[in-house]
Amino acid sequence: QVQLVESGGGLVQAGGSLRLSCAASGRTFSRYVMGWFRQAPGKEREFVAAINWSAGTTYLADSVKGRFTISRASAKNTVDMQMDSLKPEDMAVYYCAARLLPLGVDGGKRIDLYEHWGQGTQVTVSS
């Protein structure tokens, strides 16, 4: 069974930082694309970032460019997202997802193309 487990969420002040981690298990992920999505209360789930595990190619949503960084540690089957300069609008449940379809199809943005999802981790930003 493929399992994705997010961790690292918590409460921070606006302008602060958090580092989220997604631990992937159950198969070899060398050909996978890994994505981060978030969902705020009353809103649709939205794309945040994606990375190709083999090459390390990354895509970021415009709203987080310059503030968030996605990376992977292949030996540990872990994908991290460093979040700096957090804003109240970043407050959401953050989900890790995985798929085999290449990044070139959509830049990792399409929710419906991801095959596996974690349970999410809460990020709360106070102002």
Side-chain angles (χ1 to χ4, degrees):
Q1 295 180 346
V2 171
Q3 289 186 309
L4 304 175
V5 181
E6 304 95 334
S7 62
L11 172 65
V12 296
Q13 293 279 339
S17 298
L18 284 173
R19 188 175 183 87
L20 304 184
S21 181
C22 175
S25 62
R27 64 182 60 180
T28 300
F29 290 90
S30 60
R31 292 184 172 88
Y32 273 71
V33 167
M34 306 295 294
W36 283 99
F37 294 79
R38 66 188 182 187
Q39 187 167 20
K43 295 186 176 181
E44 295 292 319
R45 192 168 299 186
E46 66 176 353
F47 170 77
V48 179
I51 187 168
N52 180 302
W53 210 305
S54 61
T57 304
T58 62
Y59 286 86
L60 295 169
D62 289 342
S63 60
V64 304
K65 286 181 179 177
R67 300 188 298 120
F68 291 12
T69 304
I70 187 171
S71 61
R72 91 288 198 208
S74 296
K76 299 179 179 180
N77 286 341
T78 300
V79 173
D80 294 338
M81 186 165 67
Q82 178 68 37
M83 305 187 296
D84 297 323
S85 301
L86 283 162
K87 304 174 181 179
E89 53 261 43
D90 296 317
M91 184 165 58
V93 176
Y94 283 72
Y95 297 91
C96 178
R99 78 186 201 193
L100 283 170
L101 205 67
L103 273 177
V105 174
D106 64 339
K109 297 179 180 179
R110 284 181 57 178
I111 293 172
D112 60 305
L113 297 183
Y114 285 82
E115 301 167 345
H116 309 286
W117 292 84
Q119 293 297 304
T121 185
Q122 176 71 52
V123 171
T124 302
V125 184
S126 62
S127 59

